[in-house]
Amino acid sequence: MSEFFVVTAKMWKEYSGLFMSGLGMTLFMGLLTVAISTVSGSLMALMRRSNFGIGTFKPFRLIAAVYVEIIRGTPILLQLYFFYFMLPQWLPFLELSEFTCVLVACCVNSTAYVCEIVRAGIQAVDKGQTEAARSLGLNGTQTLLKVILPQAVKNILPALCNEFIAVIKETSLASTFFIGELMTQFKTINGFTYRVLEPLTIVGLIYFILTFGLSKLITLLERKLNASEC
């Protein structure tokens, strides 16, 4: 056991640059995914609430519902493979990099979950707020932007932060395509040293410290948001 800790410490000292590089790529990919999917997921949530259509046929609602069900009903690894191989064939003139293909897959996956987060946050706002706004002469768009969304943010923001943590952990699957995040660096160091447990332990600790710290920040954020309501 003591040998394990000694080797792990030496490995960290020798390859800390690769581990930190992997951490940087993981955070960059996670932040970019959440930023993009927050916008696209919010638009998708508005589509799910759209009243455009004839009778019970609401095309925007149908498109958004089908999208969410397909993405949530299939594993993210399948989606990663799908976009990794299909995007270059669909868009050969763009010469997409491996990172871009994987990022698109992550954004497509995260958009479905952000859509449900935003939709649930909007629905959590008391319907009386909508009725009061409409009685004051606000139209549907004004009611949503000026009354509903500002209140829904308190419900949406902590859930979005939790989605960021989930995305960070899901980026480990991107190591299948060697794009430079933490698990890719583990495979690289494993190839150099033929060691498995030591670099895997270091990567696991980095993931844990990162997600544990973010979880505590989210808890603090939720307390502040709850205190502001009092």
Side-chain angles (χ1 to χ4, degrees):
M1 183 63 72
S2 60
E3 180 185 355
F4 170 78
F5 289 114
V6 170
V7 173
T8 301
K10 288 182 178 178
M11 190 165 290
W12 167 255
K13 183 177 180 181
E14 185 173 355
Y15 296 105
S16 59
L18 284 177
F19 286 119
M20 296 312 293
S21 173
L23 174 61
M25 177 59 76
T26 296
L27 286 173
F28 175 70
M29 190 172 180
L31 285 169
L32 204 54
T33 298
V34 171
I36 295 171
S37 60
T38 297
V39 177
S40 56
S42 298
L43 293 175
M44 194 68 64
L46 295 179
M47 287 176 64
R48 292 208 69 175
R49 292 174 53 85
S50 172
N51 289 319
F52 176 80
I54 301 174
T56 58
F57 178 66
K58 311 292 184 183
F60 289 153
R61 285 190 183 186
L62 179 62
I63 292 170
V66 170
Y67 172 86
V68 170
E69 292 304 322
I70 289 175
I71 296 302
R72 294 177 67 183
T74 54
I76 185 173
L77 187 58
L78 182 150
Q79 297 162 22
L80 285 168
Y81 273 111
F82 183 82
F83 283 95
Y84 182 82
F85 290 112
M86 291 304 296
L87 277 181
Q89 294 184 33
W90 288 346
L91 306 169
F93 52 90
L94 292 181
E95 298 182 358
L96 298 173
S97 66
E98 294 178 347
F99 174 80
T100 302
C101 294
V102 172
L103 178 65
V104 169
C106 289
C107 290
V108 167
N109 179 271
S110 184
T111 292
Y113 292 91
V114 172
C115 169
E116 292 302 284
I117 289 171
V118 174
R119 187 170 69 94
I122 292 174
Q123 289 181 340
V125 177
D126 194 328
K127 291 183 178 180
Q129 300 289 327
T130 301
E131 295 171 358
R134 298 305 293 269
S135 68
L136 293 173
L138 298 180
N139 60 34
T141 302
Q142 291 173 327
T143 299
L144 180 65
L145 295 178
K146 296 182 179 181
V147 179
I148 304 302
L149 282 181
Q151 297 181 68
V153 166
K154 292 182 179 181
N155 301 318
I156 294 170
L157 197 55
L160 278 180
C161 293
N162 282 317
E163 175 64 12
F164 175 51
I165 292 177
V167 168
I168 285 176
K169 290 185 286 188
E170 287 170 358
T171 58
S172 61
L173 295 173
S175 64
T176 307
F177 309 102
F178 291 89
I179 62 168
E181 37 57 67
L182 274 170
M183 287 302 294
T184 297
Q185 301 301 354
F186 155 71
K187 290 182 177 181
T188 301
I189 295 169
N190 170 246
F192 289 156
T193 63
Y194 298 101
R195 291 278 191 172
V196 176
L197 288 179
E198 292 83 1
L200 200 60
T201 299
I202 293 172
V203 169
L205 285 172
I206 293 173
Y207 272 121
F208 174 75
I209 293 170
L210 179 60
T211 55
F212 181 77
L214 289 172
S215 297
K216 291 301 180 183
L217 288 175
I218 292 170
T219 301
L220 182 61
L221 174 64
E222 289 176 337
R223 288 177 181 172
K224 287 188 176 182
L225 290 175
N226 291 332
S228 66
E229 293 179 356
C230 299

